[in-house]
Amino acid sequence: MMSLKKRWSAQAGYREALQIGLPLVISMISNTVMTFTDRIFLGNYSLESLAASVPASIAAFLFLSFFMGVSEYVNVFIAQYTGSCRHHDVGRALWQGIWFAIPSGIFLALLCLVADPLFRLGGHPAEVQRLEVIYFQILTVGSGPFLLGVCLSNFFAGRGLTKPVMLISICSVIINIPLDYCLINGVGPFPELGIAGAGIATVVGFTLPMVVYSVLIFTRENEKRFRVLSGWRFDRELFGRFLYYGLPGGVEFFLDIFAISFFVFMIGRFGPVELASTNAVFSIYNLAFLPTLGLHVAASIMVGQAMGDRQPDRAAFATHSVLHLAMGYMGVMALLFVCFPDMLMNLFRSRNDVGDFDAVLRMGVVLMRYCAVFTLIDAVAIVYVGGLKGAGDTRYTMLVMGCASLACIVGPLIVLHHLGLTSIHGPWICLLLYVMVLATAFAVRFRKGPWRRIDLIGRNAKPERG
């Protein structure tokens, strides 16, 4: 108890981790609620819409993930500049992220042109494919505002000011959820658009934060200290350093999402019941995953600030403080998954269900037990990779993620499909193995400590004090 009390009040302890991380957790919970209610509304609208929504959103997020992972890395640069008291470099770092996000959003919007052939590869039923294409096209067109919003949020988050991020996320959800319901079901003056309505509401939810962040950031007060206006020019040296560390982070995030996307698409070949139950379980799992992703970002911020201040021991202490909090949260969620699987799964029962959902429910209850174990192991992987990225050790995380996704997900699932083994247990065992490999590799790397010697921001500039 005494040790816990000391860790609570210590620098980089539980209190500081919660001050930075809790608003991010609430922000992620807000985004989770938005996604979760979206799936519930679609599940109540039709089983085909629910079946199409998860593969389409995962596919859209798969392409988005690389660019998002790179854009988010502005966070680490701003954190390290803040830790080293080089506040005048914050604006320059922010603008390099913006110069990356703008063309990335244009590229993602063009992906709507390849939606039809992409979803034919999935081999899903014709009606599900049609809905997948619609949802995917809308989400990819709206990716640009999302990327810019992510990039701009780093101005606050990287400096440890995470409450504005939380408040903006909550406002986005407050607008999105009723708009989502109205556009799906055709309430009041809104047309009944089904899954297209869900996509449009999501894009509106993407755009609002971008606008609000722009108003809050680009002010005269912020210009005086952070040079958010005069730092707009493209800086080849800083942009190159940003890409050197950020690109591996983007690839690592992409590979992780690719592994999960491939998993879902292969499950779709097993049958509609397997696909629908897996989609529902993944939607429930987001209740655990996305808030823990907020703690992952908190670990990156705290490590980044400590490394900017040349205090690697403080960075390690911060990472373990965040890990303890993440394990506590994930433990509670795992317990809920084991004790109340029926209640959680029944949230996805269609209002027009005539017994078709019963098979999905039975299989989903079994999968929720796998999910409970997966949740606890994933907490370790998520936090340690956040610590490594905050220090700049992104190439290692990229290599591990690539090897693990091929060896534990892609290769085994192709073999299972080739052999005609359609039991749902095989793919989920592969998924557990995947996250076990990640958790072990990242924990060992962090404890060995090569990340302590990385100089991400350079030390030529003199720090500005006061």
Side-chain angles (χ1 to χ4, degrees):
M1 289 295 295
M2 196 63 185
S3 177
L4 290 176
K5 186 176 181 180
K6 287 182 178 179
R7 196 173 195 110
W8 170 262
S9 56
Q11 187 179 25
Y14 296 141
R15 181 167 58 191
E16 184 179 339
L18 285 174
Q19 285 174 345
I20 294 175
L22 189 58
L24 293 173
V25 169
I26 295 173
S27 176
M28 291 295 178
I29 289 175
S30 300
N31 292 331
T32 303
V33 168
M34 186 166 65
T35 303
F36 194 66
T37 53
D38 182 62
R39 303 275 166 79
I40 291 175
F41 293 157
L42 289 173
N44 291 334
Y45 186 76
S46 74
L47 194 59
E48 290 80 11
S49 294
L50 173 61
S53 65
V54 175
S57 60
I58 287 179
F61 192 67
L62 170 64
F63 291 106
L64 174 66
S65 60
F66 167 73
F67 302 98
M68 177 181 172
V70 179
S71 297
E72 277 188 333
Y73 211 74
V74 172
N75 190 23
V76 175
F77 276 82
I78 291 177
Q80 293 217 11
Y81 282 136
T82 300
S84 64
C85 295
R86 290 168 56 179
H87 303 294
H88 57 283
D89 285 322
V90 167
R92 288 196 309 127
L94 179 66
W95 272 100
Q96 305 319 300
I98 293 173
W99 292 131
F100 177 83
I102 291 173
S104 300
I106 296 171
F107 171 81
L108 289 168
L110 294 175
L111 290 177
C112 67
L113 303 176
V114 300
D116 281 315
L118 174 66
F119 286 97
R120 279 199 295 270
L121 294 174
H124 298 168
E127 178 60 14
V128 173
Q129 281 189 41
R130 185 184 71 82
L131 296 174
E132 286 171 339
V133 168
I134 294 171
Y135 200 45
F136 177 84
Q137 288 178 328
I138 295 172
L139 293 180
T140 52
V141 168
S143 295
F146 177 80
L147 281 178
L148 285 169
V150 167
C151 182
L152 293 172
S153 72
N154 293 324
F155 175 77
F156 296 103
R159 294 184 294 128
L161 304 176
T162 52
K163 287 183 181 178
V165 179
M166 174 189 71
L167 294 174
I168 291 170
S169 295
I170 291 173
C171 290
S172 179
V173 171
I174 291 173
I175 292 174
N176 174 268
I177 290 179
L179 182 63
D180 192 35
Y181 182 80
C182 291
L183 288 174
I184 290 173
N185 298 289
V187 177
F190 298 97
E192 182 180 339
L193 299 177
I195 199 168
I200 293 170
T202 299
V203 172
V204 172
F206 288 168
T207 305
L208 176 64
M210 178 197 70
V211 174
V212 176
Y213 282 129
S214 298
V215 172
L216 293 177
I217 292 171
F218 299 110
T219 65
R220 291 181 180 179
E221 291 77 11
N222 287 331
E223 165 63 14
K224 289 178 182 178
R225 189 175 190 193
F226 303 108
R227 300 181 185 175
V228 294
L229 297 172
S230 57
W232 68 270
R233 293 176 179 81
F234 180 79
D235 186 321
R236 181 178 297 180
E237 189 275 332
L238 180 56
F239 189 76
R241 195 148 21 98
F242 166 62
L243 291 184
Y244 180 83
Y245 291 102
L247 285 177
V251 172
E252 169 259 312
F253 194 37
F254 168 81
L255 290 171
D256 189 28
I257 302 301
F258 171 77
I260 301 302
S261 302
F262 187 84
F263 176 85
V264 172
F265 273 104
M266 292 303 291
I267 291 294
R269 292 177 175 269
F270 282 39
V273 172
E274 287 81 359
L275 178 62
S277 60
T278 297
N279 287 348
V281 169
F282 267 109
S283 298
I284 295 167
Y285 171 66
N286 278 338
L287 293 170
F289 169 71
L290 287 179
T292 309
L293 199 59
L295 292 176
H296 157 98
V297 176
S300 293
I301 294 168
M302 295 174 72
V303 170
Q305 292 183 353
M307 293 299 289
D309 201 22
R310 305 190 190 191
Q311 294 189 42
D313 288 341
R314 191 180 106 201
F317 190 82
T319 301
H320 291 124
S321 296
V322 175
L323 178 63
H324 299 163
L325 296 174
M327 289 297 292
Y329 174 75
M330 287 293 218
V332 172
M333 297 307 298
L335 192 62
L336 291 175
F337 294 164
V338 170
C339 295
F340 305 104
D342 298 74
M343 182 187 73
L344 293 169
M345 288 295 298
N346 271 314
L347 292 172
F348 297 91
R349 188 182 290 272
S350 170
R351 64 190 176 190
N352 300 319
D353 177 57
V354 291
D356 296 339
F357 192 78
D358 290 341
V360 174
L361 175 63
R362 287 192 297 272
M363 183 171 290
V365 169
V366 175
L367 298 186
M368 289 297 291
R369 294 169 188 153
Y370 279 109
C371 192
V373 179
F374 179 88
T375 294
L376 291 171
I377 303 171
D378 202 26
V380 178
I382 289 171
V383 173
Y384 274 124
V385 78
L388 291 171
K389 289 169 72 173
D393 198 3
T394 53
R395 292 182 179 273
Y396 176 81
T397 61
M398 175 186 69
L399 291 173
V400 169
M401 197 70 75
C403 293
S405 60
L406 290 174
C408 301
I409 299 287
V410 177
L413 290 189
I414 290 175
V415 171
L416 289 175
H417 179 69
H418 180 73
L419 295 176
L421 301 176
T422 58
S423 170
I424 195 67
H425 295 282
W428 277 85
I429 290 172
C430 292
L431 192 63
L432 283 180
L433 178 62
Y434 169 69
V435 75
M436 287 175 64
V437 169
L438 296 182
T440 302
F442 295 146
V444 170
R445 177 73 168 189
F446 193 86
R447 292 180 184 277
K448 285 187 174 181
W451 52 271
R452 292 170 176 264
R453 299 183 293 274
I454 296 174
D455 184 8
L456 184 138
I457 58 174
R459 300 295 174 178
N460 294 325
K462 293 181 179 179
E464 98 182 54
R465 299 287 174 183

